[in-house]
Amino acid sequence: MEMEGLGSWLTTEDHSSCEVMGVTPNTDRHLNTSQVLQLGGVNEDIPYIYPQLQHKHFTGCIRNLIVDSKLYDLGSPADWQSSSPGCLTTDSSCVNMGFPACGHRGRCHGEWGSFSCQCVAGYTGQQCEEEAPEYSFDGHSHLHYQLASALPARRTWIQVLVRTRKHSSIIISLVSRDQSEYLRLEVFQGLLCTFYNLGDGEYNLTLPSYRLDNGEWHEVSLDRHDNEMTLRLDGGGGKREVTGSQSRSREIIIDPTAVMLGNSFPSESNKSFQGCIRDLRLNGRYMPLDSQPRDGVSQVSVQGLSVGCSSDSCKKYHCKAPFTCVDLWRVHECRCPPGHMIHVNGTKKSCVYTLCATRPCHRGTCVAQSPSKFTCHCPEGYRGRHCETTLAVYREDVGLSFSSLFAICICFMALLVLLLGIFLYTRWRSYKGLKESVYHVSAHHDGWEDIRENVLNYDEEGGGEEDQNAYDMAELQKSLQPSPAQSVQYCRSRALHHPPPAHHLHHHLLHQAPPVPASAPPLDPLSRTSSSTTLPPSAASTSSTATTTASLRRDVPPARPPAQGQARPSQLARRSLSFSSQDLARYLCEIIRDADQHPDTGPFDSLQVFSTEGGGSPAGSLSSFSSAGLDGGSTGEVAGEARREETLGEWGPRFEKLRALYERAEASDL
């Protein structure tokens, strides 16, 4: 602590406000610890108990932990629980529904459960949404403040926006109670400068590169830490910033009742500020330029202030024709009218017509270089000789308000509900169609099969020309896709060697019976056929007078029949054959496909009547092979059985199983 008014050579140190010391009781001088270092709480899962701790868990944020001169890395502990990087308690305060709490013109400083906004220069308000008002100083004015609390002795921060044409004036002045120490921010010979005395002499610091007396708005700031002074102009950086620490003293106790804006204390008329000032801040406090107290700051006296920052230079000065007066803020200039340029002839000035009078620059500013030459200065987003080309300009997104986000969410949910309704309606229509058994499957697509006996329901009887949706004409066409069981080679060989005079479709074995003499007795149920298939008229008339043709063996090549009068061997040599149900199924499938693919076969939806077993078929039943033998023992019946066995033997291995069944039946009869 420096002794006020006695200079920096007499100082004392007092740490009572920031330190506390104590002595351990008794004679113990050593600290024996065997536990791990725990920060912010106590792990209660470890066996050690802390009976002396009443509050075992810390709530808040911790940083910069140093123990025995060692800085601990809090980001990589050995174990942690309920802790996270950063300080969520204060960081989360700066975000309001996904948007910065201070808007786009302020910097947020998170606090415990709240936040504060540090607005950019020229703006104020809770979220930096208001523009700071402008006040004009006439050169004989000042504004005297009184602070409710004292300012720190080692820290001073001043920020203000100024606009002036005066080469030298005082912006703000701070003094101590005995006025021996002071701190002033001034415009000195058009440059930004600070003069100060912290108790060990007078010093100054100047920013030499940029001028303030050009009539434009400038952001000016003075930042003092102890004896280090920093001047910044328009945000600082580079040549817009300068730092110096010439004084050895570090403190100045500022009188809270002697803060003067626009002049010094006591007032000096030749140092009074002339220009405009707005948005004055002292150590983060907003200093009101109006009469309303704010942040514990009130006005003691006001002189020569007016609201606004207007200029009326052209009212006091007049230019001769054809020149016109242009107000450059408190300075006037006589210029030629638009589209003309000044021509100097000795001491005489005149205006000359140029091509800029035709306004060749569509969106830019025309600058005449001569009466016949000009250039266009294009604004941002345009280019070209006449600024005729538009460029894409990126603009920062200002975000969406809560009401906009809510409306977007409602529209999105409505769209989802609409899509869900369309999907459910489509599914309901599909389910309804399946429930009403409306199946319309083409004959060329056998991948979808109706498990209920392939029922096809048509909306209108007959399927006329008006029924284009519920009836498909493809159903009446024969399939062009061959089935796996189709045998084209067999059909050709069958038509070549034994052209059938009539078409008979058998229900049980589905084959053409072998030739039988006309005088032979009626065949048994095995050799009888049933021609119940609905055929074309030509085929039907042929079948009424046709005789039965010989069957074609498919397991052996066709053999020439023996000559007339030549005796047939009594019994063919038997072969060792293997017969299974798969052979019979394959044979039946081939016969069925041959009948379906025959050129004379009717359409698929034509009526086809089959004589099924037990349903009036003249072929009888195959379930009882010995029924004919049990009824009588005549010689004709025995001869019929011999012929049947001989016929089954000639038919080949495919009927070996059937012949074995007859032999077993005959053995049982014997």
Side-chain angles (χ1 to χ4, degrees):
M1 298 180 60
E2 298 178 358
M3 301 301 295
E4 187 70 17
L6 298 180
S8 61
W9 55 271
L10 182 60
T11 60
T12 59
E13 292 186 2
D14 183 8
H15 298 274
S16 61
S17 61
C18 57
E19 287 183 0
V20 61
M21 300 178 62
V23 180
T24 58
N26 302 328
T27 59
D28 296 333
R29 295 179 179 272
H30 302 282
L31 179 62
N32 299 323
T33 58
S34 59
Q35 300 295 327
V36 297
L37 173 63
Q38 301 187 61
L39 179 66
V42 175
N43 188 359
E44 298 180 353
D45 295 335
I46 61 178
Y48 187 78
I49 304 177
Y50 302 87
Q52 72 278 14
L53 297 179
Q54 297 180 357
H55 304 284
K56 298 182 180 181
H57 298 284
F58 174 79
T59 301
C61 301
I62 298 177
R63 67 178 183 182
N64 298 343
L65 174 64
I66 299 176
V67 178
D68 291 336
S69 302
K70 177 183 178 181
L71 178 64
Y72 278 77
D73 184 8
L74 303 183
S76 58
D79 186 20
W80 72 92
Q81 181 180 356
S82 300
S83 64
S84 59
C87 189
L88 298 179
T89 306
T90 58
D91 296 344
S92 59
S93 302
C94 290
V95 179
N96 184 14
M97 299 184 65
F99 294 92
C102 295
H104 297 278
R105 299 187 181 97
R107 293 184 295 269
C108 179
H109 296 274
E111 300 175 1
W112 194 264
S114 62
F115 65 93
S116 61
C117 295
Q118 182 179 350
C119 302
V120 298
Y123 291 90
T124 183
Q126 185 177 3
Q127 294 184 345
C128 306
E129 72 279 1
E130 302 176 4
E131 290 189 9
E134 304 170 349
Y135 286 84
S136 179
F137 290 72
D138 59 6
H140 301 279
S141 56
H142 70 271
L143 182 56
H144 187 187
Y145 290 104
Q146 180 174 356
L147 307 180
S149 59
L151 296 175
R154 293 177 176 267
R155 177 77 165 88
T156 305
W157 177 58
I158 301 172
Q159 177 180 322
V160 64
L161 288 172
V162 298
R163 185 181 189 183
T164 183
R165 292 277 186 186
K166 194 173 183 180
H167 298 295
S168 297
S169 60
I170 296 176
I171 299 177
I172 189 171
S173 174
L174 306 174
V175 296
S176 61
R177 291 186 180 275
D178 57 359
Q179 301 181 9
S180 60
E181 299 179 0
Y182 61 88
L183 178 64
R184 294 196 304 266
L185 184 63
E186 301 182 7
V187 179
F188 181 72
Q189 296 180 357
L191 303 176
L192 180 62
C193 184
T194 178
F195 294 87
Y196 60 94
N197 184 354
L198 302 183
D200 60 345
E202 296 182 353
Y203 300 95
N204 66 82
L205 180 65
T206 304
L207 183 64
S209 301
Y210 296 90
R211 301 187 65 88
L212 268 70
D213 57 350
N214 54 8
E216 298 179 359
W217 282 104
H218 294 281
E219 178 186 352
V220 174
S221 66
L222 169 63
D223 195 359
R224 180 185 75 89
H225 290 271
D226 293 339
N227 62 338
E228 183 179 275
M229 305 286 178
T230 302
L231 290 175
R232 295 185 180 90
L233 180 65
D234 297 330
K239 294 184 178 181
R240 300 178 182 272
E241 182 176 330
V242 63
T243 302
S245 55
Q246 303 173 0
S247 177
R248 291 177 298 172
S249 298
R250 300 175 180 271
E251 293 183 357
I252 175 175
I253 301 177
I254 299 173
D255 186 5
T257 63
V259 178
M260 187 73 68
L261 178 64
N263 211 328
S264 61
F265 188 85
S267 299
E268 297 181 11
S269 58
N270 60 342
K271 290 283 189 176
S272 179
F273 180 80
Q274 183 179 3
C276 297
I277 293 178
R278 68 170 181 167
D279 193 12
L280 173 64
R281 307 178 194 179
L282 180 60
N283 279 30
R285 300 180 184 178
Y286 284 91
M287 309 292 288
L289 298 179
D290 53 6
S291 58
Q292 299 296 329
R294 182 177 180 181
D295 294 339
V297 181
S298 59
Q299 297 180 356
V300 178
S301 62
V302 180
Q303 180 181 341
L305 260 69
S306 60
V307 180
C309 188
S310 61
S311 175
D312 55 356
S313 299
C314 289
K315 292 182 179 180
K316 300 177 182 178
Y317 302 97
H318 299 280
C319 299
K320 296 181 180 180
F323 293 94
T324 58
C325 181
V326 178
D327 191 346
L328 302 178
W329 191 79
R330 311 234 172 138
V331 173
H332 80 285
E333 182 177 311
C334 293
R335 296 180 180 178
C336 292
H340 296 72
M341 64 179 299
I342 298 178
H343 177 69
V344 179
N345 186 7
T347 59
K348 185 179 180 181
K349 297 181 180 180
S350 60
C351 294
V352 179
Y353 179 84
T354 65
L355 293 179
C356 288
T358 60
R359 298 181 180 180
C361 303
H362 300 289
R363 299 178 178 85
T365 302
C366 181
V367 178
Q369 298 174 345
S370 67
S372 59
K373 295 182 180 180
F374 66 92
T375 58
C376 294
H377 292 176
C378 301
E380 182 182 3
Y382 299 94
R383 71 176 182 180
R385 188 173 184 272
H386 301 282
C387 303
E388 72 280 2
T389 305
T390 304
L391 300 177
V393 180
Y394 170 78
R395 300 184 182 276
E396 184 179 1
D397 188 11
V398 298
L400 297 175
S401 61
F402 173 74
S403 58
S404 300
L405 291 177
F406 182 76
I408 292 175
C409 293
I410 292 298
C411 295
F412 182 72
M413 293 179 62
L415 179 60
L416 289 180
V417 172
L418 179 61
L419 294 177
L420 181 60
I422 295 175
F423 174 75
L424 293 179
Y425 177 76
T426 305
R427 297 292 297 176
W428 175 76
R429 289 290 302 271
S430 176
Y431 173 76
K432 181 180 179 181
L434 294 177
K435 188 175 180 181
E436 294 179 355
S437 302
V438 178
Y439 291 88
H440 198 70
V441 185
S442 174
H444 302 283
H445 301 82
D446 52 358
W448 183 16
E449 182 180 1
D450 182 10
I451 61 174
R452 292 170 294 178
E453 298 180 356
N454 293 332
V455 178
L456 300 178
N457 295 333
Y458 299 99
D459 295 343
E460 299 177 3
E461 181 179 358
E465 62 277 1
E466 297 181 356
D467 184 13
Q468 301 296 332
N469 297 324
Y471 192 83
D472 188 2
M473 295 299 296
E475 299 294 345
L476 297 178
Q477 300 175 0
K478 298 174 61 176
S479 176
L480 299 179
Q481 181 179 4
S483 61
Q486 184 178 3
S487 177
V488 180
Q489 181 179 3
Y490 167 68
C491 292
R492 292 178 178 176
S493 61
R494 177 180 174 183
L496 180 62
H497 295 88
H498 302 278
H503 304 277
H504 303 277
L505 183 62
H506 297 259
H507 176 70
H508 294 289
L509 300 180
L510 298 176
H511 71 282
Q512 293 181 347
V516 180
S519 60
L523 297 178
D524 54 25
L526 177 63
S527 60
R528 289 199 298 264
T529 61
S530 61
S531 57
S532 59
T533 306
T534 303
L535 300 176
S538 61
S541 61
T542 306
S543 62
S544 61
T545 60
T547 59
T548 306
T549 61
S551 63
L552 177 65
R553 292 184 53 184
R554 304 186 185 186
D555 55 339
V556 296
R560 182 181 298 274
Q564 187 175 3
Q566 182 180 358
R568 180 189 299 268
S570 61
Q571 187 175 3
L572 297 175
R574 296 188 178 180
R575 303 178 183 178
S576 57
L577 301 174
S578 61
F579 184 82
S580 63
S581 60
Q582 296 182 356
D583 298 333
L584 180 60
R586 189 180 303 109
Y587 173 75
L588 295 178
C589 290
E590 292 177 359
I591 297 300
I592 294 174
R593 295 303 178 184
D594 291 343
D596 290 340
Q597 299 298 329
H598 197 274
D600 295 334
T601 303
F604 283 104
D605 65 340
S606 62
L607 182 62
Q608 299 184 16
V609 181
F610 298 93
S611 297
T612 58
E613 179 182 355
S617 173
S621 174
L622 291 180
S623 60
S624 177
F625 298 100
S626 60
S627 58
L630 294 177
D631 293 339
S634 62
T635 305
E637 294 176 352
V638 174
E641 293 179 0
R643 271 196 314 273
R644 180 168 56 246
E645 181 179 354
E646 181 180 356
T647 301
L648 291 176
E650 293 177 355
W651 286 2
R654 296 190 177 183
F655 295 90
E656 183 68 21
K657 187 66 175 178
L658 189 60
R659 188 177 58 81
L661 293 176
Y662 272 95
E663 291 178 355
R664 190 180 303 113
E666 294 174 358
S668 61
D669 294 340
L670 294 178

